[in-house]
Amino acid sequence: MDNLIHNEKQKLHATYLNNLGVAALVGGVIAPVFGAHQSSVLTVAGSFLFGGIMSAIFHAGAIWCLSALKQ
């Protein structure tokens, strides 16, 4: 029973991190599109890059959480 509780906590944490990754990606892509007429190309490109990097970091954290599942 203890492993089941541990695994569910790990999966919940991984889901949380994965959702943060999705939010970072969407925020990094969608927000500059609507504000592109007010920003320079470098600002938009930087936002895309930052959102993509943060998304990858959060997703890697989610995968790392899932690697700690017990049998």
Side-chain angles (χ1 to χ4, degrees):
M1 190 66 151
D2 191 37
N3 284 347
L4 291 175
I5 294 170
H6 171 78
N7 286 346
E8 289 302 317
K9 285 182 180 180
Q10 289 298 109
K11 288 191 276 185
L12 186 62
H13 191 218
T15 301
Y16 174 73
L17 288 175
N18 197 46
N19 287 338
L20 284 178
V22 170
L25 185 62
V26 168
V29 172
I30 299 297
V33 168
F34 288 113
H37 64 282
Q38 298 173 346
S39 303
S40 69
V41 173
L42 291 177
T43 304
V44 173
S47 181
F48 280 170
L49 186 62
F50 181 73
I53 289 171
M54 290 306 296
S55 178
I57 290 170
F58 285 131
H59 185 66
I63 291 173
W64 178 75
C65 284
L66 291 177
S67 70
L69 291 176
K70 296 179 181 178
Q71 297 219 6

